[in-house]
Amino acid sequence: MIVSVKPHHTGHPGYSKTLPGLEESADSARRLVRTALAAWHLEDLTDTAILLVSELVANAVKHTNSRVIRVIITRPSERFVRIGVVDKARVLPELTQPGDDLLTSGRGLLLIDALAERWGADLYRWGKQVWAELMSERAE
């Protein structure tokens, strides 16, 4: 059976940038997210995406010794945007459980969990990527 498929531009391969493993890199990461979402006409996701990338970068900087990190924004499908931060540490993030002392730290992954459609981590031989996906109500 022959099936006709209409191709959809999803912006693949996406946007990525290597940044120093410093807190100040969050500004560049936020600009990269804004650029990608504007190019894909998905500005409705901007506020949430900015919060997610800020938390992902903060976690990579705070919890790893990576001198550099890589921010990656892709579209795995027409409705989803994936924001990932790659670092050189092979330790997977752990979601803080309710009841732990959340007054001073440990809220980053809870925020990511609350805002993202789904999130996770991919472990590599040399490090990992922690990512979060957002779903747009709009399709191109």
Side-chain angles (χ1 to χ4, degrees):
M1 173 191 324
I2 296 175
V3 178
S4 177
V5 178
K6 180 181 174 191
H8 294 281
H9 174 67
T10 61
H12 185 75
Y15 293 77
S16 68
K17 188 169 188 172
T18 300
L19 301 167
L22 303 170
E23 290 179 17
E24 295 82 18
S25 293
D27 287 336
S28 293
R30 288 188 286 268
R31 281 193 299 275
L32 185 65
V33 166
R34 282 188 192 99
T35 298
L37 295 177
W40 295 326
H41 307 289
L42 295 173
E43 290 89 350
D44 60 308
L45 299 178
T46 301
D47 292 340
T48 304
I50 293 300
L51 284 171
L52 288 174
V53 78
S54 297
E55 288 300 327
L56 291 168
V57 168
N59 285 348
V61 169
K62 183 175 181 177
H63 299 293
T64 75
N65 292 326
S66 297
R67 290 186 300 152
V68 295
I69 58 174
R70 186 151 188 89
V71 178
I72 302 169
I73 301 102
T74 59
R75 295 217 27 216
S77 71
E78 187 176 325
R79 307 243 356 229
F80 283 92
V81 172
R82 179 179 282 202
I83 300 166
V85 174
V86 178
D87 61 57
K88 302 267 177 154
R90 290 187 39 89
V91 177
L92 293 174
E94 292 183 32
L95 191 61
T96 304
Q97 300 301 314
D100 290 347
D101 181 16
L102 298 178
L103 296 177
T104 57
S105 66
R107 297 180 299 256
L109 282 179
L110 287 173
L111 182 61
I112 290 167
D113 188 58
L115 294 174
E117 187 72 24
R118 56 186 172 221
W119 70 275
D122 299 326
L123 195 58
Y124 307 120
R125 281 185 301 110
W126 45 265
K128 70 174 174 308
Q129 178 179 179
V130 180
W131 53 266
E133 288 185 350
L134 294 173
M135 184 173 71
S136 176
E137 299 300 320
R138 299 182 44 220
E140 290 184 345

